């Protein structure tokens, strides 16, 4: 089922402006798949990511962990009944693996850091793990009603060759 979020695959938001792919380097490798916003869909995201990275000749750790956390967050916090989420993997120049998970709850943005002085809870540590593991990560809003949470890993100069 196509949603407005499919359009997000062609748009990148930077601060308050919107730029198309013409301003961004084209990915040399790209994989994108919609998945059900269920725990099974989140598990499938991790499995498919590992298979795709292996087919590209790229190491799947720590990307596997990042996909698992971002997909689990999309299912737990970004789920809208009857809507899917989208996993996208892209290798962009010079040598960066970009992981994107797009869901249809653009009104619920992830929090970048825990509340200062707050007590630790049993859950809610996934984005801390993403922040520690990824070289960069962030959130892009839109198009309404979507948001994309992304993480990037710098690869070696010979990645995927």
């Amino acid at each position: 089922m196509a949603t407005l979020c499919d359009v997000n695959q062609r748009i990148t938001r930077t601060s308050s402006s919107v730029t198309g792919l013409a301003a961004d380097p084209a990915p040399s490798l790209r994989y994108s798949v919609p998945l059900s916003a269920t725990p099974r869909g989140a598990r499938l995201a991790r499995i498919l990511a590992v298979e795709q990275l292996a087919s590209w000749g790229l190491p799947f750790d720590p990307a596997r962990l990042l996909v698992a956390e971002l997909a689990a967050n999309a299912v737990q916090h970004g789920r809208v009944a009857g809507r899917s989420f989208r996993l996208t993997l892209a290798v962009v120049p010079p040598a960066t693996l970009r992981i994107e998970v797009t869901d249809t709850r653009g009104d619920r943005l992830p929090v970048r850091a825990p509340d200062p002085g707050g007590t630790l809870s049993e859950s809610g540590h996934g984005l801390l793990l993403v922040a520690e593991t990824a070289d960069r990560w962030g959130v892009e809003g839109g198009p309404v009603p979507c948001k994309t949470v992304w993480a990037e890993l710098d690869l070696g100069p010979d990645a995927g060759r």
Side-chain angles (χ1 to χ4, degrees):
M1 163 171 44
T3 67
L4 290 175
C5 294
D6 295 334
V7 175
N8 198 32
Q9 301 307 313
R10 304 296 294 171
I11 295 175
T12 301
R13 289 196 182 269
T14 55
S15 25
S16 61
S17 65
V18 178
T19 59
L21 283 180
D24 300 327
S28 55
L29 299 170
R30 183 177 177 84
Y31 173 78
S32 188
V33 62
L35 297 159
S36 65
T38 63
R40 183 176 185 189
R43 283 190 305 274
L44 187 56
R46 181 182 49 82
I47 292 166
L48 292 173
V50 167
E51 291 297 320
Q52 188 60 50
L53 292 171
S55 77
W56 288 341
L58 296 176
F60 46 83
D61 282 325
R64 166 175 49 183
L65 174 66
L66 293 170
V67 169
E69 289 298 332
L70 296 180
N73 282 351
V75 168
Q76 185 172 7
H77 304 292
R79 185 177 187 278
V80 173
R83 301 279 179 96
S84 60
F85 72 93
R86 178 170 292 278
L87 168 67
T88 302
L89 305 173
V91 177
V92 295
T96 301
L97 174 63
R98 184 172 173 99
I99 301 162
E100 298 179 349
V101 174
T102 303
D103 66 51
T104 53
R105 288 294 302 260
D107 59 324
R108 297 183 83 183
L109 298 177
V111 178
R112 284 187 152 278
D115 293 334
T119 59
L120 293 176
S121 62
E122 272 188 46
S123 65
H125 302 290
L127 288 178
L128 291 174
L129 189 60
V130 169
E132 288 298 316
T133 306
D135 292 305
R136 289 163 300 285
W137 79 278
V139 180
E140 296 172 357
V144 173
C146 301
K147 74 170 174 301
T148 298
V149 182
W150 57 269
E152 292 182 341
L153 292 169
D154 294 330
L155 303 170
D158 295 326
R161 292 185 185 157

